[in-house]
Amino acid sequence: MTLPVFADVDTGVDDAMALVYLLASADADLVGIASTAGNVDVHQVCRNNLGLMELCRVDVPVSKGAEQPLRTPLRTAEDTHGPQGLGYATLPATDRQPTSHDSAEAWVRAAHAHPGELVAIAVGPLTNLALALRREPALPRLLRRLVIMGGAFDYRGNTTPVAEWNVSVDPEAASEVFNSWNKAWEGEAPKHLPIVLGLNITEDIAMTPALLARLATEAGSTSTPMSEHDERGRRSTASNPLIAVLEDAMRFYFEFHFDDGEGYLAHLHDPLAAAVALDPDLVRCRAAAMDVELTGTLTRGMTIADWSNRWGREPNALIGVGVDPQVFFDRFITRVGAFARRLGSHS
Ligand code: BDR
Ligand code: CA
């Protein structure tokens, strides 16, 4: 069965990997991409998404979202993802343009075009999803499934000591999304809850130079040996054009994680969300009421799961608590490797 899929991204190295995974998956039909400001500004996110579609030779509509979070000035993460958001990678030039409607409208249109069928991922700040929910409060009922990469549950943050990046950039939007979900069912029990993957689970998905070399082999490509001893910014020599872009992007991401004390590896947060969107059995989840801290002087942007139902609220999320990274990487490498091989054979 092929699922229509909509992706809201702030591309971003791992966002790009998530989009490539979706394009590589025969069980997914990527019907639209919402660009959201986050890792880089929204114009650059659009350029990255359009350039990626050019590289992958697919025509998926890309929309541009709000330039700023709902109520707080935008922060970007060039230190993590590189000056343009894709590490050291350069994407092909393209004359492709974003849609004339914005990202919030793209969410609403995609949901109405595939009522009850659309599977969605939101792997950037939730600004545009919150705006879409304001325009169409029934949006949750129109979706088949939503997977959000955001938050950190009983786990340290990666932006503040307690807050994860996507939630931290636009905490009000995240709060609106989590608090509006159950209202869409107007008193009835929700038919499905968003699957929320926080750092507590996405940081189990660690890409390494060895796994990247396996991906190149699967693609029939040469690969570039990589280690923390390399000169910074050494460019890929891979023979396959997609593998070369992924290697150049990942090298920057490896260097960032290394400098952050994590080792010469990189967390593939957003590709896990993409894989779970197509197959929720990849993760173990627990239902809980969750919310976002908006006013704490030290804890703004923190996500809190009420595991013991102290608040007495209905669950509004299925929170990821367990994953087998090997199952994820086997699938990622098989799918993206075959896709890169097909692209390479036509270049
Ligand atoms: C999230 O933040 C971004 O930098 C990544 O793309 C991912 O979506 C992880 O905290
Ligand atoms: Ca992201």
Side-chain angles (χ1 to χ4, degrees):
M1 189 176 55
T2 306
L3 298 165
V5 180
F6 185 80
D8 188 319
V9 288
D10 61 332
T11 317
V13 174
D14 61 325
D15 305 74
M17 301 285 269
L19 291 173
V20 170
Y21 180 85
L22 292 172
L23 293 174
S25 294
D27 49 351
D29 175 19
L30 187 58
V31 298
I33 299 173
S35 307
T36 288
N39 290 322
V40 284
D41 74 65
V42 74
H43 299 277
Q44 188 59 45
V45 174
C46 273
R47 282 194 284 276
N48 292 346
N49 291 333
L50 293 165
L52 207 54
M53 296 307 107
E54 183 77 35
L55 176 71
C56 294
R57 296 205 207 96
V58 288
D59 283 314
V60 180
V62 171
S63 304
K64 178 178 142 315
E67 303 205 358
Q68 293 289 327
L70 296 185
R71 265 188 255 156
T72 200
L74 177 67
R75 272 170 307 143
T76 52
E78 286 82 0
D79 60 331
T80 312
H81 294 271
Q84 269 92 45
L86 278 178
Y88 296 115
T90 321
L91 290 169
T94 179
D95 54 10
R96 294 164 189 243
Q97 296 294 323
T99 61
S100 54
H101 55 271
D102 67 13
S103 288
E105 184 64 23
W107 267 102
V108 175
R109 288 190 189 193
H112 277 287
H114 306 275
E117 292 301 315
L118 192 68
V119 169
I121 63 167
V123 296
L126 294 173
T127 315
N128 293 301
L129 178 53
L131 293 172
L133 283 159
R134 288 180 188 178
R135 275 184 217 179
E136 177 50 284
L139 188 69
R141 279 197 280 132
L142 291 165
L143 299 179
R144 178 193 186 108
R145 186 181 304 138
L146 170 65
V147 181
I148 292 172
M149 190 285 129
F153 297 91
D154 303 331
Y155 194 80
R156 57 146 180 76
N158 62 356
T159 305
T160 76
V162 295
E164 178 277 334
W165 174 258
N166 290 337
V167 174
S168 186
V169 169
D170 197 342
E172 279 75 18
S175 173
E176 262 189 55
V177 169
F178 294 121
N179 282 300
S180 62
W181 192 266
N182 289 4
K183 291 183 194 143
W185 275 272
E186 295 161 348
E188 284 173 45
K191 297 270 186 308
H192 63 102
L193 295 175
I195 298 174
V196 183
L197 306 178
L199 299 175
N200 53 296
I201 180 166
T202 62
E203 288 197 357
D204 286 341
I205 306 298
M207 178 61 105
T208 61
L211 287 165
L212 205 51
R214 242 181 83 194
L215 176 65
T217 304
E218 188 79 17
S221 174
T222 59
S223 62
T224 317
M226 289 193 202
S227 88
E228 66 264 39
H229 306 298
D230 296 346
E231 69 184 290
R232 293 284 165 121
R234 185 184 293 172
R235 298 298 294 268
S236 169
T237 56
S239 51
N240 179 287
L242 178 57
I243 297 297
V245 163
L246 298 185
E247 284 189 349
D248 282 339
M250 288 308 305
R251 184 185 285 281
F252 192 97
Y253 216 29
F254 286 152
E255 291 173 358
F256 166 77
H257 284 77
F258 183 77
D259 292 344
D260 208 32
E262 310 267 3
Y264 201 74
L265 49 77
H267 299 132
L268 294 193
H269 311 277
D270 298 350
L272 179 65
V276 169
L278 303 184
D279 178 7
D281 290 341
L282 274 175
V283 286
R284 201 160 48 79
C285 292
R286 274 181 73 186
M290 62 154 292
D291 214 332
V292 178
E293 175 59 64
L294 297 179
T295 53
T297 51
L298 298 175
T299 54
R300 181 169 153 79
M302 182 179 184
T303 45
I304 297 126
D306 182 13
W307 300 122
S308 310
N309 198 21
R310 308 270 187 232
W311 296 333
R313 292 195 215 158
E314 290 303 317
N316 60 346
L318 291 174
I319 298 169
V321 292
V323 65
D324 182 340
Q326 197 186 326
V327 175
F328 167 82
F329 275 112
D330 286 349
R331 199 170 298 178
F332 184 89
I333 288 169
T334 304
R335 291 183 178 203
V336 176
F339 179 65
R341 186 186 284 264
R342 286 198 299 280
L343 264 187
S345 67
H346 294 124
S347 61

